[in-house]
Amino acid sequence: MINPRLQKALNEQVVNELSASYSYLSISAALSQLNLNGFAKWMRDHSEEERMHAMKLFDFILDRGGQIELGIIQAPEHKLGSARELVSAALEHEKAVTGEINSLYQLALDTNDYPAQVMLQWFIAEQVEEEKVTGDIVHQIEMAGDNTSALLLLDAKLENQSGSPN
Ligand code: FEO
């Protein structure tokens, strides 16, 4: 039996992960419009990863005999801008998710839910990885600056990457 407060927060996190997935899909579309197909593919893969995260939480709730209560997923803001602006927006989103996961972990500690703590430790490690990968790409775009060839080289690298780097 999951503590009702924790169950509610886990359900909310399912929605948060699906919202992240939806946002990254929107960012992927904007990158595609810039003809940065490698960036667009990477962001689309990232969107898929977020859906997987939602399902991991979804399955955990069910495995614990809990109740699924799906909420509303808001439409993402339609962001347009440079590659730097678009990938930076994804990084900011990741930082917000890290805060959500940390709060969820604190709640699992407060409610003495040991299985939830173990499950959430996977998410904590995943957030470190995702912030690093996304942050590195923002940094590399900044290093490319006004050099289009360098940006296209980075785009080709992301295009040839198999699966998601996250
Ligand atoms: Fe599932 Fe990147 O947060």
Side-chain angles (χ1 to χ4, degrees):
M1 168 90 182
I2 313 179
N3 173 289
R5 264 199 315 144
L6 182 59
Q7 177 176 286
K8 183 170 181 288
L10 287 167
N11 269 292
E12 284 167 0
Q13 194 58 29
V14 171
V15 174
N16 291 341
E17 299 289 341
L18 289 173
S19 295
S21 173
Y22 218 29
S23 282
Y24 299 157
L25 203 54
S26 170
I27 293 173
S28 171
L31 288 163
S32 222
Q33 285 176 302
L34 295 176
N35 287 322
L36 292 171
N37 296 324
F39 279 97
K41 175 181 168 287
W42 166 67
M43 196 51 68
R44 192 169 170 148
D45 288 345
H46 198 157
S47 169
E48 272 306 306
E49 287 267 331
E50 298 305 339
R51 212 187 80 79
M52 211 188 72
H53 294 171
M55 295 316 294
K56 203 175 172 80
L57 292 158
F58 180 93
D59 286 337
F60 179 81
I61 297 167
L62 287 178
D63 288 350
R64 295 287 303 284
Q67 184 87 28
I68 296 290
E69 283 170 23
L70 297 175
I72 293 169
I73 303 169
Q74 301 294 341
E77 233 180 275
H78 293 286
K79 292 191 173 65
L80 289 173
S82 64
R84 190 187 60 75
E85 286 164 338
L86 291 165
V87 179
S88 294
L91 178 59
E92 287 314 305
H93 203 117
E94 276 310 315
K95 288 179 181 172
V97 173
T98 298
E100 291 159 5
I101 294 293
N102 291 346
S103 301
L104 208 47
Y105 189 73
Q106 187 58 54
L107 190 54
L109 289 175
D110 295 345
T111 53
N112 295 321
D113 192 315
Y114 305 115
Q117 289 168 28
V118 171
M119 185 272 297
L120 288 167
Q121 278 164 10
W122 181 89
F123 278 88
I124 290 168
E126 180 74 358
Q127 282 312 116
V128 172
E129 168 83 12
E130 292 196 337
E131 279 195 36
K132 181 187 164 28
V133 169
T134 312
D136 281 356
I137 293 176
V138 170
H139 192 208
Q140 286 166 10
I141 295 170
E142 285 169 353
M143 285 194 289
D146 294 332
N147 184 336
T148 308
S149 302
L151 186 67
L152 290 177
L153 204 61
L154 184 54
D155 187 62
K157 188 185 127 194
L158 290 171
E159 178 123 49
N160 293 327
Q161 220 161 243
S162 60
S164 167
N166 302 310

